Amino acid sequence: MQKIHAIIFDLYGTLYDVHSVAHACEEAYPGHGTAITHLWRQTQMDYTWLRSLMERYADFETVTGDALRFTCAKLGLPLLPGTARQLCDHYLRLDPHPDTPATLRRLRDAGVPLLIASNGSRHTINQVVSNSGMKWAFDQIVSVDDVEVFKPHRKIYLLAEQRAGHPREHILYVSASGWDASAASLFGFPVCWVNRDGAPFDELGATPAVVVPDLGAMADWMLARR
Amino acid sequence: MQKIHAIIFDLYGTLYDVHSVAHACEEAYPGHGTAITHLWRQTQMDYTWLRSLMERYADFETVTGDALRFTCAKLGLPLLPGTARQLCDHYLRLDPHPDTPATLRRLRDAGVPLLIASNGSRHTINQVVSNSGMKWAFDQIVSVDDVEVFKPHRKIYLLAEQRAGHPREHILYVSASGWDASAASLFGFPVCWVNRDGAPFDELGATPAVVVPDLGAMADWMLARR
């Protein structure tokens, strides 16, 4: 593998814990929190892919609200506008994974430029990052808003490469989603797959360069190679 | 609505019951049949969308096998090559929904040209149709093989319109999948959504022209309008 000059991180599920929304869902709908969180997240991802294929981009906040309405209807739960707003707002105040702050600090201290490339809208990403007090960590934030198509379309990986300012083979792409890691790898980034749950890798014809159990192990691997 | 000159049917879930695979899964993995069937089907659809967005088309049989491998790995179940082949073969021998044969017979007797437009490969669709003894029903079979991108990309709806030989506003598109019905409607077909389970319609910014509980009701509606 070539020398790494920058790292691009996925946001949802990689740096931030999307299931931190579960607690709020359980409070709003006692006994249904887990069911809502999982169907909501699956529907949210499905809608990003479907809208991209239909060439009907809508930003992540819109898709997140649409997915919640479908989820509650599917589960037979009433959804008041106030509850919808309150639950969707949790996607703006996600918790970072416990190993995120310390890992990013180590990488920054080592002088590695850090970027985010996310399916979130610019507004959403900025909110998530600043609400968690992590603005110091990132050199650049790349949103699908600028290409109006969601991952795994290659346009977002290409934009992130251009913003990083290095050829793709010198940029490490870090994601906890197997499908995102697959697409980034097929695009040409060396990829680090963060496999927190011991899951199998997606069967999409790609292989990550390295697999780690958490972000700390990613930094160990990265810094040992410099 | 304009006069209808032809009907295009989706295949999986609309004319044929994809959960007829569940029985074989339960036999191969007692106690896990339902879990396998649902995760397999969701992963199969996800992979068609992901591959389409990645511009890495592989035919439906390949994607179905890939999705089964991922499903079994995710559920911690061993998968022998013989079992994989045997389970995947069930996707070539799906049961039609109970109302499919009689409905298609009524429509044919009324002189309505009938087409299939499916995510299946040409080989897969031909096998499903001929194994169920339904070859008499269809004037044309349109496979995504000819455009190398899966639904809901507009290319497959456009190809089906061209094969039907009528302007889209004169072609009824029938699907039991909310996302497929949404995309077909945004393309410009009048759409009949077959809602067998009383599910909510997907929140993708489209509305079907008509909603029916089964194929028989679709034929009633269609024939009353001629």
Side-chain angles (χ1 to χ4, degrees):
Chain A
M1 195 187 299
Q2 313 266 358
K3 196 164 156 44
I4 298 298
H5 298 312
I7 304 180
I8 299 172
F9 288 93
D10 169 57
L11 191 152
Y12 298 109
T14 301
L15 297 175
Y16 289 83
D17 187 359
V18 288
H19 292 296
S20 59
V21 177
H23 186 71
C25 291
E26 182 62 31
E27 265 190 13
Y29 298 98
H32 300 284
T34 307
I36 295 172
T37 312
H38 281 99
L39 183 58
W40 188 8
R41 174 69 178 151
Q42 176 72 50
T43 306
Q44 182 193 51
M45 290 195 299
D46 287 353
Y47 283 7
T48 62
W49 301 331
L50 290 163
R51 280 189 170 275
S52 297
L53 278 171
M54 289 158 55
E55 296 176 6
R56 299 266 173 169
Y57 179 76
D59 70 23
F60 194 73
E61 290 159 79
T62 304
V63 169
T64 298
D66 292 346
L68 179 61
R69 272 205 309 289
F70 177 82
T71 296
C72 286
K74 178 92 175 180
L75 297 174
L77 301 167
L79 179 64
L80 298 173
T83 310
R85 216 167 26 242
Q86 184 208 331
L87 290 179
C88 286
D89 277 356
H90 276 269
Y91 265 97
L92 304 178
R93 291 181 278 115
L94 295 175
D95 298 326
H97 282 291
D99 54 354
T100 297
T103 301
L104 298 188
R105 175 57 69 195
R106 279 177 69 199
L107 293 167
R108 276 211 80 86
D109 287 350
V112 186
L114 307 179
L115 294 84
I116 287 177
S118 169
N119 267 346
S121 67
R122 228 161 317 143
H123 172 73
T124 304
I125 304 174
N126 282 326
Q127 286 285 305
V128 169
V129 169
S130 82
N131 285 337
S132 60
M134 298 282 294
K135 279 184 101 163
W136 54 266
F138 304 104
D139 296 274
Q140 290 203 63
I141 284 173
V142 184
S143 159
V144 293
D145 265 357
D146 288 333
V147 290
E148 300 215 332
V149 65
F150 290 100
K151 297 180 191 178
H153 195 285
R154 74 192 303 278
K155 276 187 185 174
I156 182 69
Y157 305 110
L158 183 61
L159 180 64
E161 178 194 28
Q162 290 165 344
R163 293 275 178 84
H166 298 283
R168 61 192 75 171
E169 60 269 24
H170 293 286
I171 301 170
L172 185 69
Y173 188 93
V174 180
S175 180
S177 295
W179 57 270
D180 182 30
S182 296
S185 177
L186 292 168
F187 174 76
F189 290 128
V191 166
C192 174
W193 180 43
V194 185
N195 184 14
R196 296 180 195 277
D197 309 318
F201 195 64
D202 271 302
E203 297 276 350
L204 290 164
T207 318
V210 59
V211 182
V212 295
D214 53 42
L215 290 176
M218 185 276 295
D220 293 341
W221 176 85
M222 169 73 199
L223 295 174
R225 293 184 66 262
R226 282 169 75 88
Chain B
M1 195 188 298
Q2 312 266 359
K3 195 163 157 45
I4 298 298
H5 298 311
I7 305 180
I8 299 173
F9 290 94
D10 168 56
L11 190 151
Y12 298 109
T14 301
L15 297 175
Y16 289 83
D17 186 359
V18 287
H19 292 296
S20 59
V21 177
H23 187 69
C25 290
E26 182 62 30
E27 266 190 11
Y29 298 98
H32 300 283
T34 306
I36 294 171
T37 312
H38 282 99
L39 183 56
W40 187 9
R41 174 69 178 150
Q42 177 71 50
T43 307
Q44 181 193 49
M45 290 196 299
D46 288 352
Y47 283 6
T48 62
W49 301 331
L50 290 165
R51 280 189 169 274
S52 296
L53 278 171
M54 288 157 55
E55 296 177 4
R56 299 265 173 169
Y57 179 75
D59 70 24
F60 194 74
E61 290 159 78
T62 303
V63 170
T64 298
D66 291 347
L68 179 61
R69 270 204 311 287
F70 177 81
T71 297
C72 286
K74 178 93 176 182
L75 298 174
L77 302 167
L79 179 64
L80 298 174
T83 310
R85 216 167 26 242
Q86 184 208 332
L87 291 179
C88 287
D89 277 356
H90 276 269
Y91 265 96
L92 304 177
R93 289 179 279 116
L94 295 175
D95 298 327
H97 281 291
D99 55 352
T100 298
T103 301
L104 298 188
R105 173 60 70 194
R106 279 176 69 199
L107 293 166
R108 277 211 80 86
D109 288 350
V112 187
L114 308 179
L115 294 84
I116 287 177
S118 169
N119 267 347
S121 67
R122 229 162 315 144
H123 172 73
T124 304
I125 305 173
N126 282 326
Q127 286 284 303
V128 169
V129 170
S130 82
N131 285 338
S132 60
M134 297 282 293
K135 279 184 102 163
W136 54 267
F138 304 104
D139 297 89
Q140 290 202 62
I141 285 174
V142 183
S143 158
V144 292
D145 266 357
D146 288 334
V147 290
E148 301 215 331
V149 64
F150 290 100
K151 297 180 190 177
H153 196 285
R154 72 192 304 278
K155 277 187 183 172
I156 182 70
Y157 305 109
L158 182 62
L159 180 64
E161 178 194 29
Q162 290 165 344
R163 293 275 178 84
H166 298 284
R168 60 192 76 173
E169 59 270 23
H170 293 287
I171 302 171
L172 186 69
Y173 188 92
V174 180
S175 181
S177 294
W179 58 270
D180 182 31
S182 296
S185 177
L186 292 168
F187 175 76
F189 291 128
V191 166
C192 173
W193 180 43
V194 185
N195 184 13
R196 296 180 194 278
D197 308 319
F201 195 64
D202 271 301
E203 298 276 350
L204 291 163
T207 319
V210 59
V211 182
V212 295
D214 53 41
L215 290 175
M218 184 275 295
D220 293 342
W221 176 84
M222 169 74 199
L223 295 174
R225 294 184 65 262
R226 281 168 75 87

